[in-house]
């Protein structure tokens, strides 16, 4: 499946696509990204200047004048956020760098290689998460006690995007985007997205470290005309203004979804939140690509 920038789309597209495209460039974590196991997110967020620092009040996302739109809860729950030190607080450009949090799992986790516990390992699964984001900026599990086609229940899913000692090992990584055409469209493209090979729990005897999740959180000012195209494998969930706009749940080859932000009821000139969640749960491929002209107002917020 291929993602192509058309003449209309090149100027305003956020795409995460699992194949090469004619008007974008590859910028892998290994070649351009930085990594950090420290707490605060580093510089990130393609092509924009940083917004004011400090997390806003508790909530599920959406518009928040105190901190753009990024407002991780600060009381109770398992969430809580720290703004990146560069860009977001001092107003400098994110310079194509965007920080998120990866969590490594052992293959024995029931949701990793789910065929080992009788679940499907080659299925779309759109019943995993609800349509709204949780107050702790985490997806809410939608499955029942017996799970879904590819997941085994709420308790195991709730480990995916939360730091859980003994269950997963977390690390912050910074992805370096590039704008080779100098058209305001920033690209990150990695057809072998294995950012923690030989790290954390290690490869467990395999060629790559296959079993991990990744999340990113950022605010942006809506200007009108932006599009959002995402493709990848395995699971991808994306929320804008606290509402789910991309659901590529399940274990599958790379897939693509296009979102027209003009159809989301956003108000031009106001800031909103985009929350992004990715899971790699099955061998053997891991594709990851983003093309974006959205002007982020921070460079990544860490939500543990």
């Amino acid at each position: 499946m291929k993602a192509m920038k058309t003449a209309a789309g090149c100027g305003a597209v956020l795409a995460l696509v699992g194949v090469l495209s004619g008007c974008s460039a590859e910028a892998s974590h290994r070649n351009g990204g930085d990594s950090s196991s420290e707490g605060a997110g580093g510089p990130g967020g393609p092509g924009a200047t940083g917004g004011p620092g400090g997390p806003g009040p508790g909530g599920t996302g959406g518009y928040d004048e105190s901190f753009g739109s990024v407002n991780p809860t600060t009381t109770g729950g398992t969430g809580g956020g720290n703004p990146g030190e560069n860009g977001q607080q001092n107003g400098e450009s994110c310079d194509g760098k965007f920080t998120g949090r990866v969590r490594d799992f052992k293959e024995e986790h029931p949701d990793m290689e789910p065929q080992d516990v009788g679940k499907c390992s080659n299925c779309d699964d759109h019943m995993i998460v609800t349509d709204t984001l949780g107050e702790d900026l985490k997806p809410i599990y939608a499955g029942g006690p017996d799970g879904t086609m590819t997941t085994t229940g709420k308790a195991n899913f709730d480990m995916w995007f939360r730091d859980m000692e003994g269950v997963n090992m977390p690390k912050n990584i910074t992805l370096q985007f590039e704008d080779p055409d100098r058209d305001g469209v920033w690209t990150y493209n990695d057809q072998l997205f294995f950012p923690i090979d030989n790290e954390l729990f290690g490869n467990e005897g395999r060629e790559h470290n296959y079993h991990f999740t990744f999340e990113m959180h950022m605010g942006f000012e809506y200007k009108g005309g932006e599009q959002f195209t995402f493709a990848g494998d395995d699971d991808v969930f994306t929320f804008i203004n606290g509402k789910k706009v991309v659901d590529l749940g399940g274990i599958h080859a790379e897939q693509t979804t296009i979102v027209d932000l003009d159809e989301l009821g956003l108000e031009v000139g106001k800031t909103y939140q985009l929350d992004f969640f990715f899971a790699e749960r099955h061998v053997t491929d891991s594709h990851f690509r983003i093309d974006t002209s959205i002007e982020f107002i921070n460079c990544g917020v860490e939500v543990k």
Side-chain angles (χ1 to χ4, degrees), residues 107 113 206 210-211 234 251 280-285:
E107 186 174 331
E113 304 298 336
R206 296 185 181 273
Y210 284 102
H211 306 103
D234 294 308
I251 295 178
E280 177 61 32
R281 299 196 282 139
H282 182 55
V283 298
T284 58
D285 295 326

Side-chain angles (χ1 to χ4, degrees), residues 55-102:
T60 58
Y63 181 60
D64 172 17
E65 291 184 355
S66 68
F67 180 53
S69 60
V70 179
N71 56 353
T73 181
T74 57
T75 58
T78 57
N82 294 316
E85 292 181 354
N86 296 325
Q88 179 176 319
Q89 290 192 15
N90 61 23
E92 294 180 0
S93 172
C94 295
D95 197 27
K97 296 179 180 178
F98 187 56
T99 297
R101 194 161 183 86
V102 65

Side-chain angles (χ1 to χ4, degrees), residues 13 33 110 130 139 147 162 168 182 191 194 198 219 255 261 293 296:
V13 176
T130 63
R162 293 174 172 87
N168 60 45
R182 298 185 181 276
Q191 299 306 294
F194 298 106
N198 300 307
Q255 297 180 356
L261 272 65
S293 63
F296 297 116

